[in-house]
Amino acid sequence: MKNSLFLFTLFSLVMFSCKTQKVTTKPTIVIKKGLSEPEKRGYWQQRVKYKINADLDTLKNQYQGKIQLTYFNNSKDTLTKAYFHLYWNAFQPGSAMDWRNRTLEDPDRNLDKLIKNLKPDEIGFHHINSFLQNGQKLDYKIVGTIMEVNLNQPIYPGDSTIFHLDYLTQIPKLLRRSGRDNTEGIEYSMAQWYPQICEYDLQGWHTDPYIGREFYNVWGDFDVKLKVPANYTVAASGYLQNPEEIGKNYPTNKPLNIPKNGKLTWHFYAPNVHDFVWAADPDYIHDIAKTSDGIELHFFYQNKPQTIENWTKLKPFAIKTMEFYNEYIGKYPYKKYNIIQAGDGGMEYAMGTFVLGDKKFNSLRGTVQHEMGHAWFQFALATNEAQYPWMDEGFTSYIQDMANLIVNGNKGADLFQSSYNSYRYLVHQGKDEPLSTHSDHYTTNLAYWIGAYDKGKMVLTQLSYIMGGKKLRQTLQEYYAQWKMKHPQPDDFFKIAQKISGMDLRIFKNDWIETTHHIDYAVDKVSAEGQKTKIKLKRLDEMGMPLDIFVQDTAGNLYYYYIPLDLLRNTKENPFPNMTQNMLPVWKWAVPQYEFTIDIPLKKIDFITIDPFGYMADINPENNVYKRNENKK
Ligand SMILES: [Zn+2]
């Protein structure tokens, strides 16, 4: 398979946008606007209003915190308990994160050593000094990173309650995602930094102990005041409310007035988000750039020559990527996005990302494009990352590949192909696990990484193959339009894909997400039938797929045949507009073999190939081909 041909076809499959068809209606019929998908399923979600005050002590690496949390119970259940995350308790020797990492078959050796050896002034903790509900003291129990609370007053459906927390937090040495003093010298990477109420949804409370992977939080508004020494620059979710008191490249025309205690209070407000993150460092350079729709991109990075050079180069790509995703999926819902040098690697947060910043340009650009994609698949479409990592990592990786092609113009890139290779490697190693596995419960790091990112991305490449690229893109746009600022479930996505494709995709979802069934089709036998040729195909594994088949004759003419699959109850549009789609009879999935005859004599056939561009995740693509010369041998 030629990469360039593959790329061209894939490009044409995924890029052509769909126009909505005009429906002509008789004038007597009144068209009522239908219910949205969330309304149809009686969807609800909890809501929070956080007011957080934090006073940072940079000598002790601790902060004093005060939280006023108003919690709205929009469920139909009466809540008598509540649960809170105390994430930084994980950064202690003997924690669940320490043990989980130590006992995996393929642990992160570095992390393993580091947690075990944390000294008392390097561990993380949240000490609760006082905890009240509607002014009354609460009983609570802390197990690792989860605080369980018996409520004094139940929260009835439709009711709200107010919690007050007064606490002291020690900021751990950064080992994973957040903490102090990262490897590039950023002093404070403040993610997972405050006691945070767990999400309660149709499945109940989500009380996953933190072992270093993914998150799922409650939608709401955050009003946050951060008291920080005046020489630090703060990067944070939300909009700065007092730029005139801050400066630091925020618009101000007043001279700065630094209080006697030497600290400035940064006041941020983040409406309709499900987390709040910040970082602080004395050496940050802070730049602002704008997209054509007026979204402000804020860049925070270290004052080092190489870093400045790379981050300057990054800006136009960041702008174009934001514009590309906006156009490809739907409008980014905020007016600001932060790209912050902080944390370890790259991680998506509210209205921005933490990334390592001192790396090579292509790697920096790729990470930023990936994390920015999460503003759609995880932030706005706030799926439970821990439970369905494929819905955020997989979908984000898919649009990151698209950005690499379209924004970076990287035509030589192996669009999606490295994921197919990684997936096949995992399968042939016997380490494939169902995509429905909770991200903390994959038995190997390898299966998690390849599962969530590659096999997760291939949910979309397989759907693109099954229903066509145009319909897939329409599905992504409709999914975003219906489910942004909510917590969609896998079925919510598939329901839209089914509606748009007119296909029954339940068995595909079951096979690809909930089992480790695989795809393996083969050309079994090719034989002459007078002036015609009989082609026998076989299905060697459990999963059924519709088949695209190309036949080339010795004169170089290409013919395209399509075999629909009975399970799908529909066919796809011709994905190769320059060729005729020769529609063959339906292949009934339960039958393991299939035969058809074509009007080309065997001696004139050069090759026959199933899925010539390698879109289908066939685990043994080498048996998909018949070649004339090989037959002669
Ligand atoms: Zn990601």
Side-chain angles (χ1 to χ4, degrees):
M1 174 186 55
K2 285 259 167 62
N3 225 6
S4 54
L5 184 57
F6 170 76
L7 275 174
F8 169 76
T9 317
L10 202 49
F11 179 77
S12 59
L13 275 178
V14 288
M15 277 317 289
F16 296 119
S17 64
C18 268
K19 292 190 178 111
T20 32
Q21 256 185 314
K22 268 196 181 163
V23 183
T24 38
T25 50
K26 288 178 189 163
T28 47
I29 297 170
V30 180
I31 303 287
K32 275 192 195 165
K33 196 179 162 282
L35 293 175
S36 70
E37 288 298 326
E39 284 165 346
K40 276 188 230 165
R41 91 144 153 83
Y43 177 80
W44 51 268
Q45 66 192 15
Q46 305 296 67
R47 188 151 187 96
V48 286
K49 246 181 214 271
Y50 279 94
K51 276 190 173 183
I52 308 179
N53 280 279
D55 187 348
L56 179 66
D57 179 340
T58 52
L59 293 176
K60 288 188 179 156
N61 295 309
Q62 295 179 342
Y63 78 88
Q64 286 287 346
K66 277 188 204 307
I67 293 180
Q68 179 189 307
L69 166 62
T70 313
Y71 184 79
F72 300 87
N73 179 13
N74 295 327
S75 78
K76 307 270 187 291
D77 303 316
T78 298
L79 306 176
T80 56
K81 283 192 163 200
Y83 296 83
F84 284 72
H85 294 283
L86 301 175
Y87 287 110
W88 281 350
N89 287 352
F91 295 84
Q92 295 172 8
S95 69
M97 180 157 85
D98 182 10
W99 273 106
R100 180 61 182 161
N101 188 64
R102 270 193 232 180
T103 51
L104 271 175
E105 187 185 305
D106 54 348
D108 176 344
R109 288 279 170 219
N110 206 16
L111 186 67
D112 175 10
K113 255 184 272 155
L114 291 168
I115 301 188
K116 236 188 304 190
N117 298 326
L118 283 176
K119 299 189 192 84
D121 64 343
E122 293 174 336
I123 63 166
F125 60 70
H126 306 275
H127 285 168
I128 308 296
N129 298 325
S130 112
F131 192 5
L132 310 173
Q133 181 195 8
N134 297 336
Q136 285 182 322
K137 202 166 167 274
L138 276 171
D139 276 344
Y140 59 86
K141 182 170 90 185
I142 296 173
V143 179
T145 61
I146 295 291
M147 174 163 69
E148 181 183 324
V149 188
N150 292 312
L151 297 175
N152 292 332
Q153 296 156 24
I155 319 170
Y156 294 105
D159 221 343
S160 67
T161 199
I162 300 180
F163 297 105
H164 281 96
L165 279 122
D166 212 315
Y167 63 101
L168 173 73
T169 285
Q170 179 159 293
I171 303 159
K173 210 164 166 305
L174 189 143
L175 308 177
R176 167 81 31 110
R177 302 206 194 289
S178 60
R180 65 174 166 92
D181 303 316
N182 87 347
T183 52
E184 297 181 341
I186 303 299
E187 287 193 24
Y188 297 102
S189 302
M190 304 291 279
Q192 300 88 45
W193 61 285
Y194 58 96
Q196 184 181 61
I197 195 160
C198 296
E199 181 57 295
Y200 183 87
D201 65 12
L202 76 167
Q203 295 167 331
W205 286 103
H206 289 255
T207 64
D208 307 351
Y210 183 53
I211 63 161
R213 282 215 171 109
E214 305 275 299
F215 307 98
Y216 182 52
N217 302 317
V218 192
W219 281 101
D221 305 321
F222 287 71
D223 189 313
V224 179
K225 287 181 180 158
L226 304 167
K227 208 185 257 190
V228 175
N231 60 326
Y232 282 74
T233 294
V234 175
S237 306
Y239 308 105
L240 186 64
Q241 301 298 297
N242 56 341
E244 70 288 347
E245 291 168 20
I246 296 295
K248 313 270 186 190
N249 210 23
Y250 286 101
T252 175
N253 42 25
K254 279 201 253 169
L256 285 188
N257 180 17
I258 301 189
K260 268 192 209 139
N261 64 9
K263 286 182 176 178
L264 287 174
T265 300
W266 298 63
H267 181 193
F268 290 94
Y269 184 64
N272 209 15
V273 290
H274 48 87
D275 198 4
F276 186 96
V277 73
W278 59 288
D281 194 84
D283 306 316
Y284 270 144
I285 295 175
H286 171 212
D287 292 333
I288 306 171
K290 267 191 186 175
T291 67
S292 55
D293 323 359
I295 299 161
E296 281 187 2
L297 300 183
H298 289 244
F299 300 82
F300 296 88
Y301 53 99
Q302 289 283 64
N303 190 353
K304 288 185 197 164
Q306 189 59 47
T307 312
I308 294 171
E309 192 188 318
N310 278 340
W311 283 64
T312 307
K313 251 169 93 182
L314 175 69
K315 277 169 212 162
F317 285 101
I319 292 170
K320 274 192 238 159
T321 305
M322 176 62 79
E323 291 169 349
F324 169 65
Y325 293 155
N326 256 337
E327 199 260 320
Y328 197 74
I329 310 158
K331 286 235 155 169
Y332 176 70
Y334 306 101
K335 284 275 160 219
K336 180 188 170 191
Y337 185 85
N338 289 314
I339 299 168
I340 306 167
Q341 184 179 8
D344 67 335
M347 185 65 193
E348 65 275 12
Y349 294 112
M351 299 169 71
T353 178
F354 283 0
V355 293
L356 284 182
D358 290 348
K359 44 193 185 177
K360 293 215 170 91
F361 176 70
N362 282 352
S363 162
L364 174 68
R365 182 178 64 181
T367 308
V368 167
Q369 289 177 324
H370 177 90
E371 302 310 332
M372 197 181 262
H374 278 302
W376 282 263
F377 297 113
Q378 184 272 337
F379 209 83
L381 291 159
T383 47
N384 183 339
E385 289 183 295
Q387 210 162 314
Y388 316 115
W390 57 275
M391 292 184 86
D392 73 298
E393 293 309 343
F395 289 18
T396 294
S397 301
Y398 178 87
I399 59 166
Q400 181 198 349
D401 278 14
M402 294 304 303
N404 190 25
L405 179 72
I406 308 300
V407 177
N408 307 346
N410 201 352
K411 302 273 194 302
D414 68 336
L415 190 68
F416 309 134
Q417 273 306 293
S418 63
S419 291
Y420 284 69
N421 297 340
S422 301
Y423 165 69
R424 285 184 189 117
Y425 170 78
L426 190 72
V427 169
H428 293 303
Q429 292 286 309
K431 291 195 188 298
D432 187 22
E433 294 182 45
L435 270 188
S436 54
T437 307
H438 187 290
S439 70
D440 294 341
H441 293 261
Y442 273 89
T443 51
T444 62
N445 274 321
L446 184 80
Y448 164 72
W449 287 112
I450 297 179
Y453 290 77
D454 297 301
K455 200 174 159 189
K457 181 194 296 179
M458 291 161 74
V459 171
L460 298 187
T461 66
Q462 295 317 281
L463 284 176
S464 179
Y465 172 75
I466 292 169
M467 62 201 248
K470 284 183 199 172
K471 294 224 159 112
L472 174 68
R473 181 167 169 194
Q474 214 183 330
T475 297
L476 291 175
Q477 291 181 339
E478 185 65 14
Y479 172 48
Y480 184 68
Q482 297 271 351
W483 285 99
K484 64 175 184 269
M485 321 316 270
K486 296 187 174 63
H487 291 306
Q489 300 283 322
D491 278 335
D492 299 324
F493 169 74
F494 275 99
K495 196 176 171 199
I496 289 169
Q498 296 211 134
K499 207 166 130 189
I500 287 173
S501 65
M503 288 177 168
D504 183 345
L505 298 165
R506 291 169 307 119
I507 303 303
F508 167 75
K509 179 193 165 232
N510 180 249
D511 277 330
W512 192 257
I513 312 273
E514 290 147 11
T515 74
T516 52
H517 292 168
H518 303 126
I519 303 164
D520 188 7
Y521 281 90
V523 179
D524 185 36
K525 208 173 159 204
V526 178
S527 51
E529 292 242 306
Q531 287 306 298
K532 296 182 176 187
T533 301
K534 193 200 259 182
I535 301 166
K536 266 181 89 176
L537 307 175
K538 263 191 173 173
R539 176 176 61 74
L540 300 170
D541 219 315
E542 273 304 299
M543 254 185 101
M545 288 293 261
L547 298 184
D548 285 332
I549 294 161
F550 272 28
V551 175
Q552 184 168 289
D553 67 18
T554 45
N557 300 308
L558 264 181
Y559 303 89
Y560 164 44
Y561 300 87
Y562 173 69
I563 309 177
L565 177 70
D566 64 339
L567 301 175
L568 298 172
R569 305 291 159 216
N570 203 356
T571 56
K572 72 172 159 187
E573 270 175 46
N574 184 357
F576 310 108
N578 299 329
M579 298 172 82
T580 305
Q581 185 181 49
N582 295 295
M583 188 73 71
L584 294 170
V586 166
W587 186 332
K588 296 187 191 83
W589 164 78
V591 183
Q593 70 281 334
Y594 183 98
E595 253 178 41
F596 66 106
T597 304
I598 58 172
D599 286 335
I600 308 171
L602 179 59
K603 57 176 192 277
K604 288 206 169 160
I605 289 179
D606 199 24
F607 71 77
I608 301 166
T609 173
I610 301 172
D611 178 33
F613 301 103
Y615 300 140
M616 197 169 72
D618 194 308
I619 55 167
N620 294 307
E622 54 287 348
N623 61 17
N624 290 9
V625 185
Y626 159 87
K627 278 186 193 151
R628 191 165 64 110
N629 295 338
E630 278 177 17
N631 196 43
K632 269 183 184 168
K633 271 181 219 161

